[in-house]
Amino acid sequence: MSTLTPTALTALAARLQSLQPKSDVVLAPYTTFRIGGPADLFCEPSSTNELASAVLAARELEVPYFVLGLGANILVGDRGFRGLVIRNVTSHERWSDDGKLWVESGAVMRNLIAESVRRGWSGLEHFVGIPSTVGGAIWQNLHFLSPAPERERTVFIAEVFDSCEILSAEGTRETVDSDYVHFGYDDTVFHHRADIVLAVNFALTKADSNAMYRVMQENLSWRGARHPWLEINPSAGSIFKKIEGVGAGRLIDQCGMKGFRVGDAQISHIHANIVINLGHATARDVRELIATAQRQVEEKFGHKLEPEIGFVGEF
Ligand SMILES: Cc1cc2nc3c(=O)[nH]c(=O)nc-3n(C[C@H](O)[C@H](O)[C@H](O)COP(=O)(O)OP(=O)(O)OC[C@H]3O[C@@H](n4cnc5c(N)ncnc54)[C@H](O)[C@@H]3O)c2cc1C
């Protein structure tokens, strides 16, 4: 990682002038946890060219940067981020008659799902109710366990992925396919390389809108009954990675930790693998709660819980 100097930060702000960068922007409102201190510099590119330029400028001036989507899978530290936060609000899209969709990576899945169902194209509706940009969805291979008994299985975004345009770690712009992306469970090449997803091509299939609305309704009902509602309880979704055949949430529950609190961070009464912000939780509270759950589960069951969320900035 590069080291930050005040001169580099000033030079970067000047380079990004057309994007009207702001200084000392508190990040909490840009995350679903509603937690996190200020970014030194903050900009919101609204096209792939602007996104690529912001990343390239930060790299060239050796200023640390972070590409932010909806902030739904991260915990930002209370002291914020030293460097540039690039909040990706690119959202142009192009639909073709054969179900091919080209969309910029900052597009919000909720809007895209509504539009694809309206047009009668199927494939994205399974992910209704999951906060994500397209870039974040590809980054982690967004998935959802479809609840209806007749089609119970985990659906992955990789299934409708065709290709994507990236700004590579080396600075080139190229189109790559799924062999390159290497989709796994909560994993892609983008966890291991500094490539940025600029835009994605999806391949959708024609389907009856009513059937898609039914899937969405079932998924939302299932989710609504089992997860704390984000509108009421800010969170980052599941805190710990899945433990095959056991379930991280079940282990935490069996330690009697539902409702356990550190400050305003609480293990949800509804789902033990979700930490909620009761109003004024700090990143420090969340980290302490995570450490306590890890300790208790390891002592009682010998399982090591691994955080699923990313930790961003200074704590
Ligand atoms: C209530 C709730 C429920 C959830 N349920 C699910 C679920 O059912 N299934 C599931 O899979 N996830 C779930 N999640 C997790 C979360 O929704 C996903 O991880 C989502 O894809 C995060 O997208 P984001 O845009 O918010 O990414 P962010 O959290 O902003 O970023 C996550 C990572 O992606 C990187 N990134 C973002 N955009 C790009 C880009 N364009 N190029 C390269 N890297 C990029 C960031 O740098 C960061 O490292 C849930 C979260 C919440 C809060």
Side-chain angles (χ1 to χ4, degrees), residues 32 51 66-74 88 105 129-133 135-137 139-144 186 190 195-198 223 227 230 235-238 308:
T32 56
L51 173 59
F66 180 77
V67 175
L68 176 68
L70 286 189
N73 203 28
I74 55 170
N88 182 8
S105 58
I130 309 177
S132 185
T133 57
W139 184 83
Q140 83 135 34
N141 193 9
L142 200 70
H143 51 82
F144 182 62
D186 281 343
F190 306 120
D195 301 335
I196 303 300
V197 180
L198 299 175
R223 200 172 261 288
H227 291 188
L230 195 54
S235 80
S238 297
E308 183 191 306

Side-chain angles (χ1 to χ4, degrees), residues 42-276:
F42 179 89
C43 69
E44 296 182 300
S46 59
S47 71
T48 48
N49 284 344
E50 286 181 356
L51 173 59
S53 308
V55 172
L56 286 172
R59 285 182 185 166
E60 202 179 300
L61 293 164
E62 300 194 353
V63 173
Y65 64 90
F66 180 77
V67 175
L68 176 68
L70 286 189
N73 203 28
I74 55 170
L75 175 66
V76 177
D78 298 318
R79 292 167 63 211
F81 186 79
R82 300 291 70 78
L84 171 69
V85 168
I86 303 169
R87 180 168 174 255
N88 182 8
V89 295
T90 64
S91 65
H92 298 100
E93 58 193 48
R94 279 197 301 269
W95 299 81
S96 54
D97 294 341
D98 58 356
K100 292 279 188 317
L101 162 65
W102 173 90
V103 61
E104 289 179 332
S105 58
V108 174
M109 287 296 290
R110 184 186 52 237
N111 303 337
L112 208 57
I113 291 167
E115 185 57 19
S116 67
V117 171
R118 196 185 67 74
R119 290 172 181 259
W121 291 113
S122 171
L124 298 174
E125 69 277 10
H126 307 283
F127 308 104
V128 70
I130 309 177
S132 185
T133 57
V134 165
I138 298 302
W139 184 83
Q140 83 135 34
N141 193 9
L142 200 70
H143 51 82
F144 182 62
L145 176 63
S146 192
E150 75 274 14
R151 51 167 201 284
E152 192 183 289
R153 70 178 187 96
T154 302
V155 185
F156 293 90
I157 196 115
E159 295 171 32
V160 286
F161 174 90
D162 177 66
S163 59
C164 64
E165 190 193 352
I166 61 165
L167 175 70
S168 73
E170 293 75 27
T172 53
R173 279 177 78 153
E174 22 185 308
T175 298
V176 297
D177 62 13
S178 53
D179 284 346
Y180 179 92
V181 176
H182 220 83
F183 287 105
Y185 194 94
D186 281 343
D187 192 42
T188 57
V189 69
F190 306 120
H191 287 235
H192 313 287
R193 278 178 55 83
D195 301 335
I196 303 300
V197 180
L198 299 175
V200 178
N201 291 297
F202 288 111
L204 306 174
T205 46
K206 202 78 197 162
D208 172 33
S209 288
N210 288 331
M212 289 189 264
Y213 281 121
R214 204 176 59 238
V215 167
M216 288 160 69
Q217 185 65 53
E218 282 166 2
N219 288 9
L220 285 173
S221 303
W222 187 91
R223 200 172 261 288
R226 286 165 185 79
H227 291 188
W229 287 6
L230 195 54
E231 292 72 13
I232 303 168
N233 294 130
S235 80
S238 297
I239 281 281
F240 296 108
K241 287 185 185 161
K242 175 174 160 156
I243 302 181
E244 206 53 64
V246 186
R250 201 171 311 149
L251 295 178
I252 298 168
D253 191 7
Q254 285 169 5
C255 288
M257 289 192 77
K258 270 188 175 167
F260 184 85
R261 267 174 87 162
V262 175
D264 253 0
Q266 183 181 50
I267 292 181
S268 165
H269 283 286
I270 298 166
H271 194 307
N273 197 16
I274 297 180
V275 170
I276 59 172

